[in-house]
Structures are given as structure tokens and as C-alpha cells.
Amino acid sequence: MRVSLHQINNGLLALIILCNIYVIAAPFMPTAIFWWQSHNGHRRQTLSAQIQHPSPSVKAHQPNHLIVPSMLLDSPVLESPMPSIQHTLNSGVVRLPTGSTPDKGGNTVIVGHRFSYTAPRGIFYFLNKVHVNDEIGLVWNDKTYAYKVASVQQVPPTEISVEAPTVDARLTLYTCTPLWLPKERLVIIAELEKS
């Protein structure tokens, strides 16, 4: 069966239209999903309960994970050496090896992507939903650390002081912002409440 040039042109035109629809719609799809999840169910309350009342019946030796109820997020925290951190970021949130860990105090720094066309809903896509006084939990070596957000700020990417060691026990989360033209970093700093 012969395919005419007219059919090939129509097929290519349809492909171009579908690609354009994806490019335009991809950034909005996660927002629609988030709206649906936040209005249908009790995920936020369940995540808050995991932070405030950790269950001893949870299986031991589960992966370290980050719980952010205002983002409806419960995600494993990945570890990576600095040279391969960019590759690991494509798989989820990553604790910077130059930072501390919750059991040692100091500044625990966790980073993640916000948006890319290969993974439209980056792990920190909704980091902008986190506000001062929100709670964040970090399960580290089977122990839950509860934090309260102390500040939300935007800084230039050259501002690396957010990664600096601190005397106080804190959790720093950051990602690129704004969504469409990421020129800055959205930084969430949370202080340890209890462990």
C-alpha cells in the first residue's frame, strides 16, 4: 500500500499539534492533579499524623523519607556523591552530602527538581505551597524529626549561604523558581521542634 505525500503531511501536522499541546499543557497537569488530591481525601491529615504521632508498628529499616503535608508529599530521600548529584536529582529529592543529617544537628539540606518536560511534576513542584509555620517531617534512620517552617525566601542561585553549616538543628529545602523561567531558588528553612 502506498502512502501519499498528503497523508505524510497530515500525519506530521497532527504530530506537531500534539507536541505543542503537550508543551503547553504539561506545566498545568500537576496542578490539576494536586487540586483533585487535596479536595478528595485526607492525605494531608494522614501525613500530619505521621509526623506528630509516628507509628512504632511501621516496619523498621524503611528508607529515609521527607514528609511535607502542605505539598501532599511523602518521598524517599536519596543520597548521592556530589559529582553525580545532577543525575540522582532526576529520581527524587537528594540530601546534599556537604550538609548535615538530622541525627547530628546542624543544617540538613535537601534539594529537588521542580519541573522538567521529561518529568512534569518534579518532586518539589509544589514547594511554593509551603508557608511559615507549616510542619515538615524527616524520617531518618527510623526516627521521625518534626520541623516547623521558619522562613520562605527566594535567593539567586549564587547564594550558597543557605547550604552553610549552622549551630541550630534545621532543615533546608530548595528548588528552582519561578516555574516557567527558573532564575532563582525557592528556599524553605525549617527549625527542629522535636525528635
Side-chain angles (χ1 to χ4, degrees), residues 24-66:
I24 293 168
F28 299 107
M29 287 186 285
T31 302
I33 294 167
F34 181 83
W35 179 87
W36 179 259
Q37 289 175 339
S38 63
H39 287 83
N40 295 303
H42 304 285
R43 181 140 171 87
R44 185 172 182 159
Q45 292 85 356
T46 303
L47 292 172
S48 289
Q50 286 179 13
I51 297 169
Q52 296 304 319
H53 310 289
S55 171
S57 64
V58 175
K59 25 181 197 176
H61 307 299
Q62 62 182 350
N64 298 329
H65 61 278
L66 177 68

Side-chain angles (χ1 to χ4, degrees), residues 2-89:
R2 265 183 91 168
V3 178
S4 72
L5 286 177
H6 182 69
Q7 290 171 319
I8 292 172
N9 283 341
N10 286 342
L12 288 174
L13 179 62
L15 183 62
I16 290 169
I17 290 171
L18 288 174
C19 287
N20 283 328
I21 289 171
Y22 176 76
V23 166
I24 293 168
F28 299 107
M29 287 186 285
T31 302
I33 294 167
F34 181 83
W35 179 87
W36 179 259
Q37 289 175 339
S38 63
H39 287 83
N40 295 303
H42 304 285
R43 181 140 171 87
R44 185 172 182 159
Q45 292 85 356
T46 303
L47 292 172
S48 289
Q50 286 179 13
I51 297 169
Q52 296 304 319
H53 310 289
S55 171
S57 64
V58 175
K59 25 181 197 176
H61 307 299
Q62 62 182 350
N64 298 329
H65 61 278
L66 177 68
I67 303 168
V68 187
S70 53
M71 291 174 58
L72 305 179
L73 177 73
D74 185 353
S75 175
V77 176
L78 306 173
E79 297 282 320
S80 176
M82 283 307 278
S84 61
I85 202 162
Q86 286 299 327
H87 176 69
T88 309
L89 273 170

Side-chain angles (χ1 to χ4, degrees), residues 18 43-44 69 73 80 91 107 114 124 150 176 179:
L18 288 174
R43 181 140 171 87
R44 185 172 182 159
L73 177 73
S80 176
S91 301
N107 190 9
R114 187 155 184 214
F124 276 170
C176 297
L179 190 61

